Amino acid sequence: MIKKTSTTWGGVAEWYDNLLEGGDTFQAKVIAPNLVRLLGDVKGKKFFDIACGEGYFSRIFSKEGALVTGVDISKELIKKAQEKGGGAKYFASSADELTILKNESFDVAICILAIQNIEKYQKILEEASRVLVNGGVLHLVLNHPAFRVPKESAWGFDDEKKVQFRRVDRYLSELKNEIEMHPGQVGGEKTVSFHRPLQSYFKAFEKSGFVAGRLEEWVSHKTSDSGPRAQAENRARAEFPIFLYLSVQKI
């Protein structure tokens, strides 16, 4: 039986679903095109979507011909994924104990904008390693840990140099923070985010039987068209990546 537990993301399922329906999102404009480019031909491959949410990326790769299984801890998000269909199979479960999934049963795994919201990330990686075939690849996308540290990083502007800069107050410390999904709204929903430096992830990869492969850093697709700081804002967007992509291979 699949282990079922609660999650802070269940409370924002409706909001998250509505967000992804919009066309001008990071998922649609930055992440999905890059993943399709990097993963190439997935037709016929057994594909595991870890923390799949409402199935956004599962549907994309199902359409590309992959045989997709998606798992998410939020029953609310899994219900939405099942309602949307698209060919993937979905299960509500914590990804750190996937007893229903057999050893070496998937060719490819993805974990998109999720590992930073998961406390037992070492266990997630171990389970991903277990269910992947030897030589199978796990693809991860996360908020860039060097530049997007929850509550410890922010944009600033140097009026003298006319430069927008990125301020980072902490990096090496592992942190846990509650994030307000609707800032300014009293009693609004919150989710939990975990910051970890890159060395923590790479140590966890090694312990889980993975070797690092490709690394890419992705910037925002958004632009400032007007205003006195537009040029500086656009330059900063092009210089400071917001997402980190990593591929790791099971050995």
Side-chain angles (χ1 to χ4, degrees):
M1 179 177 293
I2 293 181
K3 179 182 176 182
K4 296 183 178 180
T5 55
S6 61
T7 170
T8 55
W9 280 91
V12 297
E14 192 70 34
W15 167 84
Y16 187 63
D17 184 44
N18 290 334
L19 172 70
L20 293 181
E21 289 294 328
D24 191 35
T25 63
F26 291 128
Q27 287 85 349
K29 298 294 187 178
V30 179
I31 299 172
N34 277 309
L35 285 177
V36 170
R37 168 180 61 86
L38 288 163
L39 271 66
D41 184 9
V42 297
K43 188 174 182 179
K45 292 185 178 180
K46 295 180 179 179
F47 206 95
F48 180 35
D49 189 353
I50 303 168
C52 65
E54 52 76 73
Y56 184 86
F57 293 100
S58 292
R59 290 191 296 277
I60 288 174
F61 287 106
S62 288
K63 188 175 181 180
E64 293 286 319
L67 307 174
V68 182
T69 297
V71 171
D72 197 278
I73 193 173
S74 167
K75 293 181 289 185
E76 295 87 351
L77 286 170
I78 287 296
K79 182 179 178 181
K80 288 187 177 296
Q82 292 169 335
E83 290 171 349
K84 290 175 183 291
K89 298 178 182 179
Y90 296 105
F91 301 96
S93 172
S94 170
D96 62 11
E97 191 175 335
L98 299 167
T99 55
I100 198 172
L101 301 180
K102 296 179 180 179
N103 294 353
E104 300 184 5
S105 53
F106 293 95
D107 304 304
V108 179
I110 61 172
C111 185
I112 310 303
L113 294 185
I115 199 165
Q116 71 249 351
N117 302 119
I118 297 172
E119 186 167 14
K120 298 179 180 179
Y121 72 107
Q122 177 71 62
K123 185 63 175 174
I124 298 293
L125 293 171
E126 291 170 2
E127 281 291 86
S129 179
R130 179 182 67 80
V131 303
L132 280 171
V133 298
N134 289 333
V137 178
L138 168 62
H139 303 266
L140 300 113
V141 178
L142 59 155
N143 291 333
H144 203 302
F147 302 107
R148 299 181 72 187
V149 185
K151 300 184 179 181
E152 299 292 345
S153 62
W155 288 111
F157 193 82
D158 187 319
D159 287 301
E160 182 178 345
K161 294 183 178 180
K162 307 300 181 187
V163 170
Q164 181 161 293
F165 60 87
R166 192 70 179 165
R167 172 174 173 167
V168 178
D169 295 329
R170 300 179 74 180
Y171 171 71
L172 281 176
S173 299
E174 294 198 13
L175 307 170
K176 176 181 178 179
N177 282 297
E178 284 191 339
I179 305 298
E180 294 183 4
M181 302 308 291
H182 312 289
Q185 178 180 317
V186 179
E189 296 94 344
K190 296 181 180 180
T191 60
V192 177
S193 182
F194 298 89
H195 165 74
R196 306 170 184 109
L198 280 169
Q199 66 177 0
S200 294
Y201 285 113
F202 276 76
K203 289 176 183 177
F205 295 152
E206 184 178 26
K207 289 179 182 178
S208 304
F210 286 110
V211 61
R214 192 181 186 98
L215 181 153
E216 290 191 5
E217 297 168 298
W218 300 338
V219 300
S220 172
H221 66 289
K222 299 181 183 294
T223 58
S224 298
D225 297 323
S226 61
R229 296 181 178 179
Q231 184 177 357
E233 290 169 355
N234 290 331
R235 179 182 177 183
R237 286 194 188 97
E239 291 293 336
F240 295 102
I242 57 175
F243 299 118
L244 176 68
Y245 162 83
L246 295 167
S247 70
V248 294
Q249 186 173 36
K250 179 180 175 181
I251 57 173

